[in-house]
Structures are given as structure tokens and as C-alpha cells.
Amino acid sequence: RISEHILNNLNQIGIKTHLVKRLNMREQLVRLVEIIPIKFIVRNIATGSLTKRLGIADGTILNKPLIEYSYKNDELGDPLITSEHILEFNWASSDELELINSYCLRINDFMQGMFRGVGIKLVDFKLEFGKSKNDGKVLLADEISPDTCRLWDVSSEKKLDKDRFRKDLGNIIQAYQEVARRLGIIHEEGNISTVKFGKPKAVNIKKK
């Protein structure tokens, strides 16, 4: 639901995506694309692998958005690459890369404003693009969700994303629901439980 919400809004501001419509709570109808084998990582605040690689203090606010490229290959560990690699190995043309870079910055501007309006910092996120099988046009593909973004509460800086799983912080589902609730996608009713992230809570996690 979060990905659908974001992709629909991006479609409305002129970012073409593969999303056609949501079919049900678990499935979407999307346009068939050939995925460009690159992860486009947009960073607004230094954290994660960037701080580990370069020794930058965690939480450092970047002067302007930083775009990094990662080659999609699990066996190689998705290594960082340069634009020269992308062009040399024909993963994208220079025109396609220029278009994608401009999309990345526009998407970042839009999402920063959207999340800031509901009390969330957009720290960084990953995007993937593909070429339409129909006409070869570049489309935003995959998903945009707390699985692919780092989202911190503005006041407490509590993590509302997949880092709750990576760092064994617990309350994963509740964090995702909190993001959806703030975006107005779900409401505090029925069997939806929410957690206030202003104060840390002790969590007992059973590992399988």
C-alpha cells in the first residue's frame, strides 16, 4: 500500500512508473520491463555503508543529495560502480543515465517534502528502473517502501524502516504501519496497532 501510494503520486508529477494498479492487498498489476541492473541510491544523510566506507560521522547531513550506483549482483555483493562502468558495459546509454539521474533528484525532492510533512526524515533510499518491453522507455520500477528507504522520526530519530530488522530493534510491522498511518493510508482502527516512537521500549525478540 505504501509503494502504491508513492508511485501513484510520482505518476502524477510526471515520473513514469511501471505501476498500473493494485489488484488486492498483496498484488499489483505492473508493466513488463527489462530491469537495468543498477541500484540507484540517493542519500540525504550519511549513515549505513557510507559511514563505514568513508568514516563519516553517522547522521551527517549532506550539503546536497548524493547519488551512488550499485551493480545488481548478489554473488558479488552489489558492488559500487561509477557512471563510466554503466556506459562501458552498456547497462544504460548516456541519455538514459542523464534521465534517470534527473528522475532520482525529482523523486528525492518530492519524497522529502511528503515525508517531512508527516514528521519523518528521508535519510536515503534505493531506486530501480527498467526499459518498457513495449516501447523501450525508461520507467521507475520495483518498489518504494520502508524496505527500500531509511526513514527516521523527526523528533526522536527512531527508525521506521527495515533497519529495525537489520539491527534487531523489534516492532518492525508496527513501524511500517506507523509510516502508512502518517501518510493517511491506514487509520488507527480495527486490528491495526500503532506504536509511538518518542520513547525507546524494551523488546523481547524470539529468533527462529
Side-chain angles (χ1 to χ4, degrees):
R1 291 291 297 275
I2 294 172
S3 188
E4 175 202 18
H5 176 79
I6 295 173
L7 292 180
N8 276 334
N9 277 280
L10 290 174
N11 272 323
Q12 292 177 17
I13 66 167
I15 304 292
K16 301 301 182 183
T17 80
H18 72 163
L19 178 65
V20 177
K21 64 179 179 179
R22 176 165 56 90
L23 299 176
N24 53 54
M25 289 297 290
R26 298 182 62 85
E27 296 175 304
Q28 295 175 343
L29 179 65
V30 299
R31 295 176 179 85
L32 183 63
V33 300
E34 180 181 355
I35 289 289
I36 296 169
I38 308 296
K39 294 179 181 179
F40 296 84
I41 304 160
V42 184
R43 300 182 182 274
N44 298 305
I45 299 173
T47 193
S49 62
L50 179 63
T51 60
K52 294 175 183 176
R53 291 196 315 267
L54 304 179
I56 306 298
D58 189 68
T60 299
I61 298 174
L62 305 178
N63 291 323
K64 62 180 182 178
L66 174 66
I67 301 177
E68 293 183 324
Y69 311 119
S70 171
Y71 178 47
K72 276 172 58 69
N73 187 304
D74 289 339
E75 292 182 1
L76 299 177
D78 297 341
L80 283 178
I81 58 173
T82 66
S83 58
E84 286 80 5
H85 291 108
I86 296 172
L87 299 177
E88 174 64 28
F89 299 116
N90 296 316
W91 291 323
S93 69
S94 58
D95 288 343
E96 289 168 342
L97 186 57
E98 183 178 353
L99 175 65
I100 290 172
N101 284 337
S102 69
Y103 276 179
C104 287
L105 295 176
R106 287 181 62 198
I107 293 167
N108 185 52
D109 284 344
F110 171 80
M111 293 210 307
Q112 273 193 305
M114 179 187 68
F115 281 119
R116 190 183 302 119
V118 295
I120 295 174
K121 291 181 183 179
L122 178 62
V123 176
D124 58 37
F125 59 99
K126 180 267 295 183
L127 298 173
E128 295 188 26
F129 294 84
K131 300 177 186 179
S132 169
K133 288 289 190 176
N134 288 333
D135 54 20
K137 289 184 178 179
V138 172
L139 300 176
L140 176 64
D142 196 48
E143 66 173 299
I144 302 178
S145 74
D147 268 2
T148 62
C149 304
R150 280 193 174 95
L151 305 170
W152 294 353
D153 180 83
V154 165
S155 300
S156 65
E157 296 202 339
K158 289 295 180 182
K159 295 171 175 59
L160 302 171
D161 55 62
K162 198 174 182 178
D163 272 352
R164 300 203 69 83
F165 171 77
R166 295 186 187 106
K167 299 177 182 295
D168 223 4
L169 299 175
N171 286 338
I172 301 164
I173 294 173
Q174 291 89 343
Y176 283 34
Q177 289 174 343
E178 177 68 9
V179 173
R181 184 189 66 78
R182 293 194 195 186
L183 291 174
I185 299 168
I186 62 172
H187 305 284
E188 293 183 79
E189 58 186 25
N191 62 352
I192 299 296
S193 61
T194 61
V195 174
K196 293 183 178 179
F197 288 86
K199 297 180 180 179
K201 294 181 67 177
V203 179
N204 182 23
I205 302 174
K206 294 181 180 180
K207 295 183 178 179
K208 294 182 179 179

